[in-house]
């Protein structure tokens, strides 16, 4: 669905970027890059919402994520981001030095949902 909304050229660029950046990339940097992808896709989806079923559906997914992700919901958005990583053929699940698992996808969605937050301005 992301590809349908942003277009094949942009989506394939994102896939290529992930293929290059993810293997040696740091999660805290990668998550912001992917959050930027989502922010762009959200903008396109809202602009195209009335003209495209895919854009309208993606807009709804973003709205649901804003409302429900903190409560452990938001599987639709997670699925879209996981598919992006899968299309790139790169792993999004990682382990820290202690052996605890975490996900670049979860971190990216958090960064996306908090894109406008600037705690130093509070």
């Amino acid at each position: 669905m992301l590809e349908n909304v942003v277009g094949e050229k942009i989506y394939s660029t994102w896939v290529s970027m992930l293929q290059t950046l993810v293997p040696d990339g740091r999660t805290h940097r990668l998550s912001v890059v992917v959050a930027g992808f989502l922010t762009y896709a959200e903008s396109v989806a809202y602009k195209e919402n009335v003209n495209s079923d895919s854009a309208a559906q993606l807009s709804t997914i973003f709205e649901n994520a804003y409302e429900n992700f903190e409560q452990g919901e938001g599987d639709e958005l997670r699925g879209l981001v996981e598919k992006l990583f899968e299309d790139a053929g790169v792993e999004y699940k990682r382990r820290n030095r202690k052996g605890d698992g975490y996900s670049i996808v979860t971190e990216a969605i958090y960064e996306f949902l908090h894109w406008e937050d600037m705690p130093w301005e509070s």
Side-chain angles (χ1 to χ4, degrees), residues 21-53:
L21 298 174
V22 170
D24 296 319
R26 298 289 198 181
T27 299
H28 68 280
R29 292 186 177 113
L30 295 168
S31 63
V32 175
V33 170
V34 176
F37 295 169
L38 294 174
T39 302
Y40 176 82
E42 178 185 37
S43 176
V44 171
Y46 286 135
K47 287 178 188 172
E48 298 296 322
N49 193 340
V50 296
N51 300 323
S52 164
D53 289 339

Side-chain angles (χ1 to χ4, degrees), residues 34-89:
V34 176
F37 295 169
L38 294 174
T39 302
Y40 176 82
E42 178 185 37
S43 176
V44 171
Y46 286 135
K47 287 178 188 172
E48 298 296 322
N49 193 340
V50 296
N51 300 323
S52 164
D53 289 339
S54 293
Q57 188 176 3
L58 186 58
S59 294
T60 300
I61 289 171
F62 286 131
E63 290 171 14
N64 289 339
Y66 281 117
E67 294 173 8
N68 302 313
F69 196 78
E70 300 298 326
Q71 289 79 30
E73 297 178 28
D75 288 339
E76 290 175 301
L77 182 57
R78 182 183 311 280
L80 292 175
V81 181
E82 287 175 356
K83 181 170 181 356
L84 176 62
F85 277 80
E86 290 165 5
D87 289 348

Side-chain angles (χ1 to χ4, degrees), residues 93-96 98-103:
K93 294 179 183 176
R94 294 189 165 179
R95 294 209 170 273
N96 64 20
K98 295 179 182 179
D100 299 325
Y102 66 96
S103 169

